[in-house]
Amino acid sequence: MHEDTKMHGLKTKGLRKGAVSNSAAVTIGLAATAPAYSLTGALGHGASEIGYQLPIIFILSVIPMFFVALSYKHLTSSAPDSGTVFTWGSKAIGPRFGWFGGWSLLLASILAGVAATQIIVNSIVIILDMTEPSLWLRSGVAILFIVSSTYLTALGVEESARTTMILTITQYGGLIALAAVLFLQISQGNAAVTAEPLSLDWFNPFAIPSFDTFLNGFLVALFIFWGFDAALAMSEETQGSAEQAGRSGIIAMAITVMTYVIFSIAALAYAGVDSGDASSLTFKDNIDSILTMLAMQIIGSHGALIAAIIIALSAFSATISTIMPAARAALAMATYRALPQRFSSINATTRTPKFATWTIGAMTLVIYIVLTAISESVVKDTIQSVSIAVCTYYIVAALSCVLYFHRTAFNHWSTALSQIILPATAVVILFVVSVLQAWNMMDPTYGSSGSIGGVGAVFLIGVATLLCGVPLMILWNLFEPRFFRGETLPLERAHMVPDAEDNRVQQ
């Protein structure tokens, strides 16, 4: 008997195989997490929620994410398909779960693009030394940013990968240099007066005041770990085997968690979390621009300018790296008739899904303009709301791994652990966290955007937009029932194959 773990009946989509090297795939995963802009948008908010326990929150938050990364690794090895969670969910669970997983991925990518756009706007304001930018300036910067990043993504995967590598090396170099200077300042006794000295208690999970505090910090951390899976969406275009492509996400995650933990320690020990101190991470004027604030304090105005440029480049590379997998998810969904066929078109010259790419970019721009009209703090509320969509499609991915491999995984203890037990644990953790946080989001006082009709705006951004996928799925079922009947992606599970049958299949 042999294990047959390969998914069958998958279609090629016209993407250029071998266009992305393994190192470029890892870089795409790192660029999607975008540590420079992610820390800027989340470090202050995380510190305000969890205080000096932020490093342990980063470590705890990565545990279920690592379990999800294992799911991605195994599923990519069995089915290196650009649709990722959509394809796997449809094959392992059913077409409706797969479709909703794909919708969640698309929504998360668009909302992340919205957050990146706001980071870009904030960086440009600092670079131009402005205090109150006009709505016209914000809109102009947003249009220029989204159009340019979308154009570069549609230009070709080689160009996109090369650009992300350059930008990722630049931002990591800047973060390493800034962290080194922070540690030097701390050792010389130049930290903020209100900052506490580095303590092992920062790594004590039992020092977290309450579960609500942990939950709020967890979702902030979840957002900045999201993105490792971008590398795996390029598996049809990555050099080497499917197994090599599957490892890229785990490598990207390992590098990311080390970066966040080390930098958070340096920032906390230098600036502290006293909201009344103008130099702290949680001061109201610093909370959305942490890296810029730190660079200004230790280097001066030139340091703030350099930090703003690095953050802008980070947001730029992150947007490219989230548009790429989103466009390829839409391409796969259309290929299997889960979206209109127009989305399955591939440009003959660039071998990229140009129509899907430009559609994702246009939707990002429209949603950003709407959010700026109704929200006082787009960055914070979008960070908090996007976590629900991310949890949703990560749940679908991990559950797909459990159901697809359950017939073969228990042949070995190692596969039982990595294909069933750990992914199932991730499903439970992410589901509980999602439900509890959605309940909190309904509070009109939650977040900084107030409420609409007595319901918290963060809830509407995160949950209501996610649930919009239900009527869209029902509507598309009426127009194209073949996908939902399982005709284009039939249900399949890994199974044992007799040796004789296995030989006939190979012949």
Side-chain angles (χ1 to χ4, degrees):
M1 298 286 286
H2 290 76
E3 296 177 2
D4 183 6
T5 60
K6 181 180 179 181
M7 287 189 185
H8 303 89
L10 303 182
K11 298 180 180 180
T12 58
K13 304 166 189 67
L15 299 169
R16 183 177 287 127
K17 177 64 178 176
V20 179
S21 66
N22 288 307
S23 59
V26 173
T27 303
I28 290 172
L30 292 174
T33 58
Y37 110 71
S38 294
L39 285 170
T40 292
L43 189 57
H45 295 296
S48 68
E49 297 286 358
I50 205 72
Y52 287 101
Q53 271 63 52
L54 189 58
I56 188 61
I57 281 291
F58 283 153
I59 294 172
L60 293 176
S61 298
V62 82
I63 293 174
M65 294 298 101
F66 175 73
F67 297 165
V68 174
L70 286 176
S71 304
Y72 269 83
K73 173 183 177 296
H74 291 301
L75 289 169
T76 299
S77 297
S78 296
D81 191 274
S82 66
T84 59
V85 64
F86 157 75
T87 304
W88 304 331
S90 300
K91 295 285 285 182
I93 309 175
R96 288 167 181 79
F97 276 90
W99 194 97
F100 201 75
W103 162 258
S104 303
L105 188 154
L106 293 175
L107 178 62
S109 299
I110 291 171
L111 292 181
V114 170
T117 303
Q118 182 65 13
I119 292 289
I120 284 284
V121 171
N122 290 343
S123 298
I124 296 299
V125 168
I126 293 172
I127 292 171
L128 298 179
D129 195 22
M130 302 178 66
T131 54
E132 293 293 335
S134 66
L135 180 60
W136 288 107
L137 176 63
R138 289 180 174 273
S139 300
V141 171
I143 292 172
L144 180 63
F145 166 63
I146 293 175
V147 169
S148 60
S149 57
T150 305
Y151 170 77
L152 185 57
T153 306
L155 189 61
V157 68
E158 294 95 339
E159 292 79 4
S160 301
R162 189 179 306 117
T163 302
T164 55
M165 287 189 73
I166 295 172
L167 298 178
T168 302
I169 292 172
T170 301
Q171 65 174 305
Y172 266 88
L175 286 176
I176 291 171
L178 182 56
V181 174
L182 287 175
F183 281 119
L184 179 62
Q185 292 290 317
I186 294 167
S187 66
Q188 294 176 346
N190 296 326
V193 176
T194 57
E196 295 183 6
L198 176 61
S199 169
L200 290 177
D201 198 48
W202 296 4
F203 298 91
N204 179 12
F206 300 103
I208 299 173
S210 66
F211 181 76
D212 285 342
T213 301
F214 164 78
L215 183 62
N216 293 334
F218 179 90
L219 282 180
V220 172
L222 177 68
F223 172 77
I224 63 175
F225 281 117
W226 171 61
F228 73 90
D229 52 295
L232 303 176
M234 316 300 293
S235 57
E236 290 189 53
E237 300 158 273
T238 303
Q239 296 174 1
S241 65
E243 289 77 11
Q244 290 174 317
R247 287 194 292 266
S248 59
I250 292 180
I251 295 172
M253 176 172 289
I255 296 173
T256 300
V257 68
M258 287 190 293
T259 302
Y260 290 159
V261 170
I262 293 172
F263 197 90
S264 66
I265 292 171
L268 287 167
Y270 176 80
V273 297
D274 186 350
S275 60
D277 187 338
S279 63
S280 80
L281 301 180
T282 59
F283 187 66
K284 60 183 180 63
D285 294 335
N286 302 336
I287 199 166
D288 287 326
S289 304
I290 295 299
L291 294 191
T292 302
M293 177 273 294
L294 291 173
M296 183 179 295
Q297 289 186 10
I298 62 177
I299 303 175
S301 58
H302 294 296
L305 178 63
I306 294 172
I309 293 174
I310 292 175
I311 292 165
L313 294 177
S314 176
F316 187 58
S317 65
T319 304
I320 294 173
S321 299
T322 51
I323 290 177
M324 282 195 288
R328 281 152 181 77
L331 166 68
M333 293 178 76
T335 300
Y336 298 112
R337 300 186 178 276
L339 282 181
Q341 285 293 291
R342 185 71 179 87
F343 286 92
S344 66
S345 61
I346 290 287
N347 183 272
T349 303
T350 63
R351 303 280 289 275
T352 58
K354 277 195 171 182
F355 179 79
T357 300
W358 281 106
T359 301
I360 297 295
M363 293 179 66
T364 301
L365 181 59
V366 170
I367 292 177
Y368 173 78
I369 293 175
V370 171
L371 285 178
T372 54
I374 65 174
S375 177
E376 297 175 358
S377 180
V378 176
V379 172
K380 182 175 182 179
D381 290 349
T382 304
I383 285 174
Q384 293 175 333
S385 69
V386 76
S387 302
I388 298 299
V390 174
C391 278
T392 299
Y393 84 81
Y394 277 172
I395 287 172
V396 173
L399 185 59
S400 298
C401 185
V402 173
L403 294 180
Y404 185 74
F405 292 107
H406 78 276
R407 295 175 181 172
T408 59
F410 290 98
N411 292 330
H412 311 281
W413 72 265
S414 59
T415 52
L417 183 66
S418 63
Q419 294 178 352
I420 305 294
I421 299 173
L422 298 183
T425 303
V427 170
V428 173
I429 293 174
L430 294 178
F431 179 78
V432 171
V433 168
S434 298
V435 171
L436 291 174
Q437 186 64 3
W439 177 260
N440 291 337
M441 285 179 177
M442 294 183 68
D443 189 338
T445 62
Y446 189 92
S448 60
S449 303
S451 63
I452 299 175
V455 179
V458 179
F459 177 86
L460 295 177
I461 294 172
V463 178
T465 53
L466 182 64
L467 294 180
C468 283
V470 175
L472 290 176
M473 180 172 59
I474 295 173
L475 182 64
W476 185 245
N477 191 8
L478 298 176
F479 284 95
E480 185 56 85
R482 282 178 291 179
F483 166 75
F484 295 97
R485 289 199 298 257
E487 296 177 10
T488 59
L489 275 176
L491 194 68
E492 184 180 8
R493 305 283 167 79
H495 58 281
M496 301 302 297
V497 179
D499 292 340
E501 180 181 341
D502 189 53
N503 292 331
R504 287 197 300 270
V505 171
Q506 291 179 1
Q507 293 172 359

